[in-house]
């Protein structure tokens, strides 16, 4: 610094010593030495003798001294320049080998971004704003060509993607399914800047390539994408029939089991009979017996019939969809000795949007098409998901197959309301059920399915946030026309990926690594995600910090949000940042209260009660607990959540898993503007940015600990309504203790982040000063080099990896990482090696899919089932003690 000041002062002194004529601004300049100066002054008046200093300056031999002085000056500047650069490097390189994993936070905070020279990195709120509203933030783009005249994500792109994903059959395991896997791979490569390989990266599960691809997720430095192939046992329909038999055992009525559409919906008309209507995982076979109506087929419905003396042996049960997972309707009938099950869609469950209330049936209006059929898997999902033949281990091509307990042994068929009404008319007015014959022939074989993956590496590579959505449909007709399930979710993920790609092109890099997964085989029983989860259990446990799931993202007007209590605040706060997709002045979160606009006088009381019961199962923030029924199931113990727009009692009828879940229905009734698709894309993307970018993981353990109290209160109510006596005082004390520990942890979260940010800001200031000095020194050296006729090459600004004060920085980073480890450990603290009684695959003692719900969640499941199912006070006491032990261990682990 002193040298620079001296240089400025010396030039000023030289100027002061110049002749008076020059100082007065005369045009003529001396060009040939002292004599020319005097001659230049002849016409201006008397000659003024130059001062002694002036004479000394022009003394012979001075130019040699001047040259040596300048050379010495340049040498000193060069030495100073080298010292500045080497000093910044040596401190960091001395300890980098042992502390490299702790440098990520500092590099992320202090790096310069590739968007513009010397600009701040694209991260945090700037990245979020750009993702949510790219068009209004042009200044963050490298050039205007990236904008394409619209925001990213946007409605036009979402519409185009929806039409793409619903344009061809992709029944799991078919060439069309593989084609969609390739399409998704190409989308990842295009948006994330991945150079396509000459050979498409498709790796058989269990192969060295497949294992290396996943196990290296925490080591990649550039975006990467590939496809894994698993080999579960799947079935497809061959032929089927349903008949009512007369007294002579001859058919008096034969059902038309396929859906019927006229030309108003062209896709539904084209593919209505492309694949037979059937239940995935249902065994082939023939059954004959009297018909028994079981309402929703819930356990309580069957219990009422049993108490009334109904004999199910050899009977065929007919039940309506709703109330629980379809597979559990079959499971209970099988346990009671039934021969087969028929499941139908009842217009009473469509709320007020019915023909009775004056609405026309689809495709001429919003009411249910009476020929619509809801296909779906009938696997016993509450026992375990995935390939039934490989419980607990992955489905490789050469895996050992077993007869899994999650597969039904009796056949079942889905039927339409049109057919069900004819059958139910034979049961009206107390009539004896007719004799019904059912035939369901299927082909069962090992079938390949394809999971597609993409990785966006982060600075902290060993912490991974996963975004997943299933791409398949169980049925060719479903997936061709499955504009809601799953294509609406795929479209939202598609748009979120476009947003991430736009951020990457403008200098963004997440703090944590992001893994994007497109699952296959979900409709058969969450097969693709479960097999991958069982394949890489240890890697998931070590690296995955959170999982976000999308299935159907749009099927109605009401926002429904489900999450682990750890993420409830994040889910709500991000929804409150996004505008409502169809209503000005409101937020996305306000869409939770949207109920539709189609009303009528007639509303089935039982259907309304079930809907209200589902809506009541929320926490204080309005978030529902996670049960099962989608790909988050295998990740539930590793923290997860989902959000979606779901159908209400006053929305156009959503033809779930029907040929009428078509692109035409989506554009006419579901989401005509595709603004809801984009809102979910923004919601999911914003959550990913927070989870992958926040220094402290956005988990709220205090809220979780308070929810534990409410879980216990529900259990106490169950005990109070029974004849059991169970003491929960010790469990209550443990919950109170963990509430105190989480309060301290919340304080530690704040203090740890504040300390780290203060140190990083100080380092950034010092780094700025150092860079400024470096630029000045380099400029001075270049000026002198040019003066003596040497070339000085222009250099980009050096990036200083300033490590001082290293010790304080590493201490602060380790403090942050310790907090994050405690936050991640919270959810995992409820994992029991023994699992839940009678369904040991589920190991989370805090929440699990209800044993007789499937989709819905049961909190404190092992304890609840000991009370409600087993009605055993001793077993309940043991479960309370087991839960207490886990909570106490967790309290000790998170205590600051």
């Amino acid at each position: 610094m002193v040298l620079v000041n001296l240089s400025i002062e010396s030039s000023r002194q030289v100027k002061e010593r110049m002749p008076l004529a020059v100082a007065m601004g005369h045009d003529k300049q001396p060009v040939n030495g002292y004599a020319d100066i005097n001659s230049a002054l002849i016409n201006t008046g008397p000659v003024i003798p130059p001062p002694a200093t002036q004479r000394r300056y022009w003394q012979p031999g001075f130019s040699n001294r001047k040259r040596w002085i300048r050379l010495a000056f340049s040498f000193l500047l060069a030495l100073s320049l080298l010292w500045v650069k080497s000093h910044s490097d040596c401190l960091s390189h001395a300890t980098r080998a042992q502390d490299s994993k702790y440098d990520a936070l500092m590099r992320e905070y202090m790096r310069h971004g590739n968007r513009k020279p010397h600009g701040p990195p694209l991260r945090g709120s700037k990245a979020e704003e750009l993702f949510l509203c790219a068009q209004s933030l042009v200044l963050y783009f490298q050039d205007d060509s990236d904008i394409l005249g619209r925001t990213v994500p946007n409605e036009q792109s979402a519409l185009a993607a929806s039409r793409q994903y619903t344009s061809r059959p992709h029944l799991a395991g078919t060439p069309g399914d593989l084609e969609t896997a390739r399409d998704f791979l190409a989308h990842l490569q295009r948006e994330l800047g991945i150079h396509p390989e000459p050979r498409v990266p498709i790796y058989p599960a269990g192969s060295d390539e497949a294992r290396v691809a996943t196990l290296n997720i925490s080591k990649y430095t550039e975006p990467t994408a590939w496809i894994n192939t698993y080999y579960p046992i799947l079935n497809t329909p061959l032929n089927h029939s349903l008949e009512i038999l007369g007294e002579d055992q001859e058919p008096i009525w034969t059902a038309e089991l396929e859906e019927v559409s006229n030309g108003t919906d062209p896709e539904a008309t084209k593919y209505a009979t492309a694949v037979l209507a059937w239940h995935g995982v249902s065994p082939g076979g023939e059954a004959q017996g009297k018909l028994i109506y079981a309402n929703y087929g819930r356990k309580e419905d069957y219990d009422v019939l049993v108490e009334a003396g109904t004999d199910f042996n050899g009977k065929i049960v007919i039940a309506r969809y709703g109330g629980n997972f379809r597979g559990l309707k079959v499971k209970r009938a099988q346990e009671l000795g039934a021969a087969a099950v028929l499941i139908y869609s009842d217009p009473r469950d469509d709320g007020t949007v019915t023909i009775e209330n004056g609405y026309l049936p689809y495709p001429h209006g919003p009411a249910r098409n009476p020929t619509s059929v809801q296909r779906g898997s009938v696997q016993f999902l509450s026992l375990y998901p995935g390939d039934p033949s490989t419980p607990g281990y992955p489905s490789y091509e050469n895996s050992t197959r077993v007869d899994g307990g999650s597969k039904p042994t009796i056949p079942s068929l889905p039927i339409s309301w049109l057919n069900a009404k004819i059958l139910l008319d034979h049961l009206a007015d107390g009539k004896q059920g007719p004799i019904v014959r059912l035939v369901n022939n299927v082909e069962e074989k090992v079938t390949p399915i394809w999971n597609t993956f993409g990785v966006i590496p982060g600075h902290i590579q060993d912490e991974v946030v996963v975004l997943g959505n299933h791409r398949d449909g169980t049925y060719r007709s479903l997936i061709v026309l499955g504009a809601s399930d799953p294509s609406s979710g795929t479209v939202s993920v598609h748009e979120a990926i476009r947003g991430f790609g736009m951020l990457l092109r403008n200098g963004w890099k997440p703090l944590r690594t992001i893994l994007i997964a497109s699952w296959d085989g979900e409709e058969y029983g969450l097969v693709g995600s479960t097999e991958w989860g069982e394949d890489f259990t240890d890697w998931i446990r070590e690296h995955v910090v959170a999982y976000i799931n999308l299935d159907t993202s749009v099927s109605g007007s009401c926002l429904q949000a489900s999450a682990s209590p750890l993420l409830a605040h994040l889910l709500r706060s991000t929804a409150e940042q996004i505008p409502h997709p169809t209503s000005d002045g409101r937020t996305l979160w306000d869409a939770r209260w949207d109920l539709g606009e189609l009303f009528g006088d007639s509303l089935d009381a039982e259907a309304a009660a079930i809907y209200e019961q589902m809506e009541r199962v929320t926490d204080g923030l309005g978030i529902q607990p996670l049960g099962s029924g989608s790909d988050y199931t295998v990740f539930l113990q590793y923290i997860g959540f989902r959000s979606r727009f779901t159908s209400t009692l006053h929305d156009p009828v959503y033809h779930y898993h029907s040929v009428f879940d078509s692109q035409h229905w989506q554009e006419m009734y579901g989401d005509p503007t595709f603004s809801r698709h984009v809102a979910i894309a923004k919601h999911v993307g914003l959550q990913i940015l927070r989870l992958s970018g926040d220094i402290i993981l956005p988990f709220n353990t205090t809220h979780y600990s308070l929810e534990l109290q409410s879980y216990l209160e529900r259990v106490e109510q169950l005990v109070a309504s029974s004849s059991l006596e169970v003491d929960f005082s010790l469990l209550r004390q443990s919950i109170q203790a963990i509430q105190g520990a989480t309060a301290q942890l919340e304080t530690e979260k704040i203090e740890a982040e504040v300390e780290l940010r203060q140190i990083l800001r100080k380092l950034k200031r010092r780094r700025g000063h150092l860079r400024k000095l470096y630029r000045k020194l380099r400029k001075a050296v270049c000026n002198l080099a040019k003066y003596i006729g040497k070339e000085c090459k222009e250099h980009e600004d050096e990036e200083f990896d300033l490590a001082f004060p290293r010790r304080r920085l590493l201490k602060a980073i380790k403090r942050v990482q310790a907090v994050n480890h405690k936050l991640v450990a919270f959810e995992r603290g409820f994992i029991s090696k023994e699992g839940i009684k009678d369904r040991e695959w589920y190991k989370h003692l805090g929440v699990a899919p209800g044993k007789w719900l499937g989709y819905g969640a049961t909190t404190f499941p092992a304890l609840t089932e000991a009370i409600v199912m087993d009605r055993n006070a001793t077993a309940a006491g043991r479960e309370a003690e087991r839960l207490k032990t886990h909570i106490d261990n967790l309290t000790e682990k998170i205590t600051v």
Side-chain angles (χ1 to χ4, degrees):
M1 187 67 75
V2 174
L3 291 175
V4 174
N5 287 335
L6 283 175
S7 174
I8 295 172
E9 181 65 23
S10 296
S11 64
R12 183 181 297 113
Q13 291 173 353
V14 170
K15 184 175 180 180
E16 290 172 354
R17 299 186 190 108
M18 293 181 66
L20 180 61
V22 176
M24 293 173 64
H26 284 281
D27 293 337
K28 290 190 175 181
Q29 300 297 325
V31 292
N32 294 316
Y34 179 78
D36 292 319
I37 294 176
N38 278 329
S39 59
L41 297 172
I42 290 174
N43 297 325
T44 63
V47 176
I48 300 174
T53 54
Q54 180 73 20
R55 295 191 191 98
R56 185 179 177 185
Y57 180 83
W58 294 105
Q59 287 177 1
F62 178 79
S63 57
N64 287 333
R65 288 195 299 273
K66 179 176 67 174
R67 185 180 299 111
W68 282 108
I69 290 171
R70 288 173 177 169
L71 288 174
F73 183 62
S74 300
F75 179 71
L76 290 174
L77 281 174
L79 286 179
S80 300
L81 194 65
L82 290 173
W83 180 87
V84 169
K85 182 70 174 73
S86 61
H87 184 69
S88 69
D89 289 340
C90 66
L91 289 173
S92 59
H93 283 293
T95 55
R96 182 170 294 137
Q98 61 180 353
D99 295 318
S100 60
K101 67 179 292 185
Y102 302 120
D103 288 338
L105 281 171
M106 182 177 70
R107 288 199 304 272
E108 163 66 2
Y109 188 83
M110 299 174 67
R111 72 184 179 88
H112 281 291
N114 347 352
R115 295 171 298 105
K116 54 182 182 177
H118 320 313
L122 180 59
R123 62 164 182 256
S125 60
K126 292 179 181 178
E128 292 174 9
E129 290 169 6
L130 182 56
F131 181 88
L132 295 177
C133 193
Q135 194 172 24
S136 65
L137 295 172
V138 179
L139 63 100
Y140 291 118
F141 285 89
Q142 292 178 346
D143 56 68
D144 291 345
S145 64
D146 285 334
I147 300 176
L148 300 177
R150 56 179 179 262
T151 58
V152 180
N154 73 79
E155 289 80 3
Q156 295 84 359
S157 175
L159 173 60
S162 181
R163 290 174 176 174
Q164 174 191 354
Y165 287 114
T166 61
S167 65
R168 68 170 67 95
H170 42 294
L171 169 68
T174 65
D177 183 32
L178 175 58
E179 219 31 55
T180 63
R182 289 172 179 259
D183 287 347
F184 198 85
L185 177 69
H187 181 62
L188 288 168
Q189 292 172 333
R190 180 172 58 253
E191 295 299 332
L192 304 185
I194 302 168
H195 183 69
E197 301 178 20
R199 181 176 67 92
V200 179
I202 302 178
Y203 310 134
S207 67
D208 291 342
E209 291 176 309
R211 296 198 64 76
V212 167
T214 293
L215 296 177
N216 280 347
I217 288 172
S218 55
K219 299 177 183 178
Y220 292 127
T221 57
E222 298 292 335
T224 308
W226 71 96
I227 297 173
N228 273 9
T229 309
Y230 286 91
Y231 298 88
I233 290 181
L234 306 180
N235 69 344
T236 53
L238 296 175
N239 56 74
H240 57 192
S241 64
L242 177 64
E243 301 166 324
I244 295 177
L245 303 181
E247 295 181 357
D248 58 358
Q249 300 297 301
E250 291 297 320
I252 61 173
W253 172 79
T254 300
E256 174 55 59
L257 294 175
E258 313 314 327
E259 294 167 294
V260 179
S261 176
N262 60 28
T264 306
D265 184 335
E267 298 101 339
T269 302
K270 182 177 180 180
Y271 294 107
T273 59
V275 171
L276 304 180
W278 100 110
H279 281 146
V281 190
S282 176
E286 179 179 332
Q288 181 175 313
K290 282 192 173 183
L291 195 66
I292 296 177
Y293 175 66
N295 197 20
Y296 284 107
R298 299 167 297 185
K299 186 176 184 299
E300 54 265 40
D301 293 322
Y302 283 110
D303 290 345
V304 168
L305 292 172
V306 170
E307 291 174 5
T310 303
D311 180 12
F312 283 88
N313 283 309
K315 305 298 192 303
I316 294 179
V317 173
I318 181 170
R320 62 201 267 204
Y321 276 110
N324 63 352
F325 179 63
R326 69 183 75 82
L328 298 180
K329 303 175 192 292
V330 178
K331 183 177 187 293
R332 187 55 179 157
Q334 176 181 302
E335 291 175 348
L336 294 173
V341 177
L342 300 170
I343 311 178
Y344 71 98
S345 300
D346 196 316
R348 288 181 293 170
D349 296 302
D350 296 334
T352 56
V353 190
T354 61
I355 296 174
E356 184 181 359
N357 280 329
Y359 295 101
L360 293 175
Y362 183 81
H364 303 292
R368 177 174 299 280
N369 185 299
T371 71
S372 66
V373 174
Q374 183 194 135
R375 301 155 175 85
S377 171
V378 288
Q379 183 179 10
F380 301 160
L381 201 58
S382 60
L383 294 184
Y384 65 88
D387 182 1
S389 70
T390 59
Y393 58 94
S395 295
Y396 297 159
E397 194 168 12
N398 59 352
S399 289
T400 301
R401 309 289 171 168
V402 299
D403 186 13
S406 68
K407 181 180 175 181
T409 58
I410 62 173
S412 64
L413 280 177
I415 63 173
S416 68
W417 166 243
L418 194 65
N419 289 324
K421 187 175 184 303
I422 294 172
L423 294 170
L424 294 174
D425 284 344
H426 283 76
L427 291 171
D429 301 324
K431 298 176 185 176
Q432 283 284 340
I435 301 296
V436 173
R437 181 163 63 200
L438 175 154
V439 175
N440 180 49
N441 291 323
V442 299
E443 180 184 23
E444 189 176 80
K445 62 180 180 180
V446 174
T447 306
I449 61 172
W450 299 275
N451 293 332
T452 304
F453 299 96
V455 177
I456 303 175
H459 290 283
I460 302 177
Q461 296 170 298
D462 58 355
E463 294 181 4
V464 180
V465 177
V466 183
L467 169 61
N469 160 254
H470 84 89
R471 184 192 68 256
D472 76 294
T474 309
Y475 325 98
R476 183 175 305 177
S477 57
L478 167 64
I479 202 63
V480 168
L481 312 173
S484 288
D485 183 11
S487 292
S488 63
T490 304
V491 167
S492 293
V493 172
H494 178 280
E495 288 301 290
I497 291 170
R498 290 183 64 242
F500 298 149
M502 176 268 298
L503 293 179
L504 286 170
R505 289 190 293 274
N506 289 277
W508 169 72
K509 183 175 183 179
L511 187 60
R512 297 177 184 86
T513 292
I514 298 170
L515 173 64
I516 301 167
S518 175
W519 306 115
D520 201 356
E522 191 268 359
E523 295 293 356
Y524 275 96
L526 323 181
V527 178
S529 58
T530 300
E531 299 312 307
W532 186 80
E534 292 175 340
D535 201 0
F536 296 102
T537 302
D538 293 338
W539 183 89
I540 293 171
R541 183 183 299 115
E542 184 177 353
H543 295 289
V544 173
V545 298
Y547 177 82
I548 299 178
N549 189 73
L550 269 184
D551 192 325
T552 301
S553 67
V554 181
S555 64
S557 64
C558 180
L559 180 72
Q560 184 185 76
S562 305
S564 159
L566 275 183
L567 294 170
H569 276 86
L570 174 65
L571 198 157
R572 176 166 177 169
S573 64
T574 49
E576 289 174 337
Q577 285 187 250
I578 298 169
H580 192 287
T582 62
S583 177
D584 293 337
R586 303 171 66 209
T587 69
L588 177 61
W589 184 248
D590 294 327
R592 288 185 59 251
W593 308 110
D594 293 353
L595 298 176
E597 300 176 346
L598 306 178
F599 295 91
D601 296 331
S602 176
L603 176 63
D604 184 79
E606 191 172 17
I610 288 179
Y611 182 84
E612 291 172 4
Q613 182 181 5
M614 293 172 57
E615 291 301 304
R616 284 198 301 268
V617 185
T618 59
D619 62 16
L621 294 175
I623 308 296
Q624 296 180 351
L626 289 166
S628 186
S630 196
D631 289 302
Y632 58 79
T633 302
V634 74
F635 294 95
L636 180 58
Q637 57 210 48
Y638 303 107
I639 311 167
F641 58 91
R642 67 173 180 177
S643 60
R644 60 179 179 173
F645 281 98
T646 189
S647 181
T648 72
L649 296 175
H650 312 293
D651 278 322
V653 173
Y654 166 43
H655 295 79
Y656 179 49
H657 284 192
S658 160
V659 72
F660 300 113
D661 179 14
S662 64
Q663 187 67 24
H664 182 271
W665 181 88
Q666 187 69 269
E667 294 183 27
M668 180 68 67
Y669 294 109
D671 188 15
T673 63
F674 274 73
S675 56
R676 292 189 178 106
H677 287 74
V678 172
I680 294 296
K682 290 182 176 181
H683 192 208
V684 166
L686 185 56
Q687 293 168 78
I688 289 286
L689 291 177
R690 292 276 175 85
L691 287 165
S692 66
D694 285 5
I695 290 177
I696 298 289
L697 286 165
F699 297 166
N700 193 314
T701 55
T702 298
H703 177 68
Y704 203 141
S705 67
L706 294 174
E707 283 302 296
L708 295 178
Q709 183 69 37
S710 67
Y711 296 170
L712 179 58
E713 290 171 359
R714 293 176 199 168
V715 170
E716 289 174 330
Q717 291 174 3
L718 294 174
V719 171
S721 62
S722 70
S723 58
L724 302 178
E725 292 185 5
V726 186
D727 183 9
F728 294 122
S729 59
L730 295 179
L731 178 57
R732 189 179 300 106
Q733 291 175 10
S734 295
I735 291 174
Q736 291 170 350
I738 201 170
Q739 288 172 348
T742 59
Q744 295 175 3
L745 182 57
E746 290 297 321
T747 301
E748 175 66 7
K749 281 168 53 179
I750 297 171
E751 293 177 353
E753 181 168 0
V754 167
E755 179 189 18
L756 179 59
R757 287 190 179 277
Q758 287 175 343
I759 293 175
L760 290 174
R761 278 194 292 269
K762 183 180 293 186
L763 287 173
K764 192 172 184 179
R765 286 195 297 269
R766 293 186 181 184
R767 178 179 179 276
H769 295 325
L770 189 61
R771 292 180 67 251
K772 185 176 181 181
L773 173 60
Y774 183 83
R775 287 198 302 270
K776 287 184 176 181
L777 292 174
R778 177 173 288 282
K779 183 177 180 180
V781 170
C782 284
N783 288 339
L784 288 172
K786 291 177 181 177
Y787 190 85
I788 62 177
K790 302 294 184 180
E791 182 181 358
C792 182
K793 295 182 179 180
E794 294 294 333
H795 291 276
E796 295 292 333
D797 286 334
E798 298 285 347
E799 289 293 334
F800 290 96
D801 190 7
L802 185 61
F804 180 80
R806 187 85 179 181
R807 193 169 300 172
R808 284 186 61 200
L809 174 66
L810 293 183
K811 183 179 178 181
I813 292 176
K814 289 177 180 179
R815 183 182 184 187
V816 165
Q817 290 193 324
V819 170
N820 282 336
H821 289 158
K822 292 177 188 294
L823 294 173
V824 172
F826 198 92
E827 190 83 64
R828 299 177 186 180
F830 293 94
I831 304 302
S832 167
K833 292 182 179 180
E834 297 79 15
I836 299 173
K837 178 179 173 290
D838 297 332
R839 46 197 190 116
E840 287 73 15
W841 191 92
Y842 292 99
K843 301 183 181 301
H844 199 298
L845 298 184
V847 64
K851 187 173 183 178
W852 289 106
L853 294 176
Y855 288 130
T858 296
T859 53
F860 285 174
L863 177 55
T864 298
E865 289 165 15
I867 297 167
V868 177
M869 305 294 177
D870 300 336
R871 305 190 182 197
N872 187 321
T874 302
R878 285 196 301 267
E879 291 298 343
E881 177 60 30
R882 182 160 66 133
L883 197 52
K884 175 186 180 301
T885 300
H886 278 267
I887 293 175
D888 289 345
N889 292 339
L890 181 56
T891 301
E892 182 179 354
K893 185 173 293 187
I894 68 169
T895 297
V896 178

